[in-house]
Amino acid sequence: SAAMPCNVWDWLSDMEEFDAVIARSMRQLLLMPDCSHCGLVRRCGEPVTVANRAQYVEEEIRWRLVDSCRSQLEAMRQGFQSFAALHDSSFSAFTCTELMVCLCGEDSIDGDVLADCLEFRMWDQTDSTPHFLCTLVRAMPPGDLRKFLRLCTSLTTIPLGGLPRKITVFKSARFYSHTCFSQLEIPDYESLEVLRSALYTALASLEVCGEMQEDVDVQAVPG
């Protein structure tokens, strides 16, 4: 097989930080003895072959990491530049802790605060799951609270000023989260313990995946 340019492995390392699943697929493509059967096409319309697969991988990673989000990256650059342009005296009004909270959100996370961020929709008055879920969240240790917050919103801490929107919990036939919209679908569970088992199965699945996707589906959770 053709030798790979060194920079394609650098691009691949960056992609692994962003999306390990896609990076693994691209690495497999680079190591295949023959990739003509894959049916892949470069953005210029050229079929992907052993000879040009490194260029294909580099182009795809560049598009995913840079070109597809160029406007957002430019907004970040402008924001950092405007922040850096502030006179040093502007920072003297803040303590180190206050600056960290402004940039990173609250370091601590409280179960009562997070439970108050839950909003339940499409539930019947006789359903016990809303009460069960609030009870579980209020009793969770900080580490599990961060996992639950990540499951529902992709965040791991509550921003300064609170969450931008409440976490909407819908009654559903499945256990499914929509992190972009801060939504959680769960069935109505017969007991607190059954809900606890389902919830911690979801949290464990999230940790096993090692990444956060737009939607998280836990089909193996009993309802």
Side-chain angles (χ1 to χ4, degrees):
S1 59
M4 296 296 165
C6 294
N7 60 327
V8 73
W9 301 111
D10 294 334
W11 279 102
L12 200 58
S13 296
D14 292 338
M15 192 65 202
E16 287 174 343
E17 295 291 329
F18 179 75
D19 192 316
V21 175
I22 293 177
R24 185 163 56 248
S25 298
M26 290 181 172
R27 184 179 293 275
Q28 290 173 349
L29 174 65
L30 292 174
L31 298 176
M32 284 180 178
D34 179 22
C35 61
S36 59
H37 63 283
C38 296
L40 299 173
V41 179
R42 295 177 62 188
R43 294 187 176 273
C44 64
E46 182 181 57
V48 175
T49 65
V50 170
N52 64 18
R53 60 185 173 182
Q55 288 81 2
Y56 167 80
V57 168
E58 183 174 330
E59 290 166 357
E60 287 301 305
I61 295 177
R62 182 188 296 274
W63 182 85
R64 290 175 182 274
L65 298 186
V66 181
D67 296 340
S68 67
C69 53
R70 189 174 295 277
S71 60
Q72 295 93 325
L73 292 172
E74 177 61 22
M76 290 177 61
R77 185 186 67 81
Q78 293 178 3
F80 280 120
Q81 285 183 341
S82 62
F83 188 73
L86 292 175
H87 194 273
D88 289 343
S89 61
S90 302
F91 296 104
S92 63
F94 299 93
T95 66
C96 178
T97 300
E98 289 171 336
L99 286 174
M100 287 294 294
V101 170
C102 289
L103 294 173
C104 305
E106 297 285 353
D107 183 54
S108 61
I109 186 168
D110 184 86
D112 289 332
V113 172
L114 191 53
D116 290 339
C117 292
L118 301 179
E119 182 177 81
F120 296 89
R121 296 184 184 177
M122 302 175 63
W123 294 87
D124 299 325
Q125 290 186 346
T126 57
D127 293 334
S128 299
T129 296
H131 172 69
F132 291 157
L133 183 59
C134 288
T135 300
L136 285 175
V137 170
R138 293 184 193 280
M140 278 182 177
D144 291 340
L145 286 173
R146 293 187 191 281
K147 293 177 186 177
F148 177 74
L149 183 62
R150 182 179 174 221
L151 174 72
C152 300
T153 68
S154 81
L155 301 173
T156 56
T157 189
I158 296 179
L160 182 65
L163 293 175
R165 64 171 69 90
K166 287 203 168 189
I167 299 171
T168 307
V169 184
F170 292 94
K171 184 179 181 179
S172 175
R174 61 180 182 174
F175 199 117
Y176 199 92
S177 71
H178 308 267
T179 57
C180 286
F181 303 101
S182 300
Q183 295 178 353
L184 179 65
E185 297 180 34
I186 57 174
D188 186 30
Y189 291 94
E190 61 186 21
S191 70
L192 178 66
E193 290 307 315
V194 174
L195 173 58
R196 187 197 307 275
S197 175
L199 180 58
Y200 275 88
T201 297
L203 298 182
S205 298
L206 185 64
E207 290 301 302
V208 169
C209 290
E211 60 198 15
M212 172 54 65
Q213 302 174 356
E214 179 178 347
D215 299 314
V216 177
D217 188 5
V218 185
Q219 299 287 3
V221 175

